[in-house]
Amino acid sequence: MGMRAYLRQLRKDIWRQRYLMALLLPALVVMIIFRYLPILGLQIAFKDFSFRLGTWGSPWAGLKQFQYLFQDITVVPAIVNTLGISILKLVLGFPLPIILALMLNEVRNSQFRRTVQTISYMPHFIAYSVVALMLSIALANWGIVNKVLTGLGILQEPYLFLGRAEAFWWVVVFTDIWKETGWSSIIFLAALTAIPVELYEAATIDGANRFQKMLRISLPGIKPTVVLLLILQIGRIVNGANFDLSYLLRNALNAARAEILPTYILRVGISMGRFSYATAVTLIFAMVSLILVVTANYASRKLTKEGLF
């Protein structure tokens, strides 16, 4: 097909789908305004930003802000906390939605399955501000968690969960897992529905039990989805820590483990007015995320023949 014929066909397709295009237009405009135009503001990472001069009028400073970053030791705890929380979420949290989806897929009672799905999805819709309030009450010295643990004899005295820096990572990680596991399982449940029923019927005729069918049919059937989401999750390691929980649950006692990169950028960029420096930090770690995604995708292509691109 020549270029003229291709353009003619493209115009016909656009005209035929003009109403769908019109519906898409507002979302496209929003994406351009809030996702693409702000990219122009990244230039202040290479400038000495001034409100008076604005983004375009501020003088260029070269790599000065990046030099500050590599000399700033106060960012190290934020990096350690971010990586620690993100890796724990990846190791402990990533497999759980897959396991939940596989288990729900094996449930034959549709009423029970829908009930379990509804209960597991509900925490996703609770605002983090409400979750933080619930945690503050439940994990307090007089809270239900300490009452249960001391009542069972597991603890001899109440444990100040939100007042111990060494406990903060675990509180954030398990709260995030509780909140998002059910919601994340939807993707894997959708992938399971795409597996042909004939494969299960053939396995049943061959004498395979339900566990064997899960292991030999269900898991391989959702492997592309698992690999895709794993690559994206690896790319989020440098910013995968939950900003909302870290910001809302932080106090003077747990601050050493609660400071993560997003809260560090907020504190330095907004509270201290170092906008250029905060933008440089954001840009560096965005580049690290890109490198992680590309590396994980390359490794996945080599090992599993599946990848994001």
Side-chain angles (χ1 to χ4, degrees), residues 21-309:
M21 296 290 183
L23 289 173
L24 182 63
L25 187 60
L28 183 62
V29 171
V30 169
M31 180 174 289
I32 291 173
I33 293 174
F34 292 102
R35 294 293 182 180
Y36 289 97
L37 288 182
I39 293 176
L40 297 174
L42 289 176
Q43 64 181 290
I44 70 173
F46 305 93
K47 292 185 172 185
D48 283 325
F49 178 74
S50 167
F51 269 117
R52 183 176 60 83
L53 299 174
T55 300
W56 300 99
S58 297
W60 292 95
L63 300 177
K64 184 174 73 173
Q65 307 299 338
F66 298 93
Q67 292 173 349
Y68 288 158
L69 170 61
F70 291 108
Q71 295 170 0
D72 185 6
I73 61 172
T74 63
V75 75
V76 175
I79 295 174
V80 172
N81 292 333
T82 302
L83 293 178
I85 294 173
S86 298
I87 291 172
L88 282 175
K89 284 174 59 178
L90 178 64
V91 174
L92 300 178
F94 184 77
L96 292 181
I98 302 173
I99 296 171
L100 178 60
L102 291 172
M103 293 173 65
L104 288 174
N105 190 56
E106 295 299 320
V107 175
R108 295 294 173 260
N109 188 318
S110 59
Q111 183 64 38
F112 177 75
R113 183 171 63 247
R114 286 196 295 268
T115 302
V116 172
Q117 285 179 291
T118 301
I119 294 172
S120 65
Y121 297 165
M122 284 178 63
H124 172 78
F125 298 99
I126 303 175
Y128 275 108
S129 56
V130 178
V131 171
L133 179 61
M134 292 166 56
L135 285 173
S136 300
I137 297 172
L139 298 179
N141 283 350
W142 43 265
I144 187 173
V145 174
N146 273 310
K147 286 183 178 180
V148 170
L149 293 178
T150 52
L152 294 174
I154 298 175
L155 295 177
Q156 298 301 316
E157 59 183 22
Y159 185 85
L160 191 59
F161 288 94
L162 296 180
R164 299 289 185 91
E166 63 272 15
F168 188 82
W169 285 10
W170 300 102
V171 171
V172 170
V173 168
F174 283 114
T175 301
D176 207 274
I177 289 173
W178 164 76
K179 194 173 186 302
E180 299 299 334
T181 294
W183 184 254
S184 300
S185 68
I186 294 176
I187 299 175
F188 300 108
L189 284 168
L192 285 167
T193 61
I195 300 175
V197 180
E198 292 80 5
L199 294 177
Y200 294 102
E201 294 173 348
T204 302
I205 294 173
D206 290 339
N209 58 37
R210 296 175 73 174
F211 181 77
Q212 289 172 326
K213 286 187 282 188
M214 184 189 302
L215 193 63
R216 302 294 182 182
I217 299 175
S218 299
L219 267 178
I222 64 174
K223 185 178 74 170
T225 304
V226 172
V227 170
L228 171 64
L229 293 179
L230 180 60
I231 291 171
L232 294 175
Q233 192 70 20
I234 290 174
R236 295 184 68 246
I237 283 180
V238 294
N239 62 356
N242 192 298
F243 168 80
D244 301 271
L245 288 177
S246 296
Y247 182 76
L248 294 169
L249 297 177
R250 175 178 173 166
N251 56 51
L253 298 175
N254 61 31
R257 291 294 184 93
E259 180 82 295
I260 58 175
L261 282 170
T263 59
Y264 173 83
I265 291 170
L266 176 67
R267 179 171 60 84
V268 173
I270 303 299
S271 301
M272 300 174 61
R274 299 176 63 187
F275 299 102
S276 294
Y277 176 72
T279 305
V281 175
T282 304
L283 183 58
I284 283 290
F285 290 104
M287 295 302 297
V288 173
S289 295
L290 177 61
I291 292 170
L292 286 173
V293 168
V294 173
T295 304
N297 185 76
Y298 176 79
S300 176
R301 284 287 184 189
K302 288 292 184 181
L303 296 175
T304 67
K305 308 302 181 184
E306 300 285 350
L308 182 60
F309 48 85

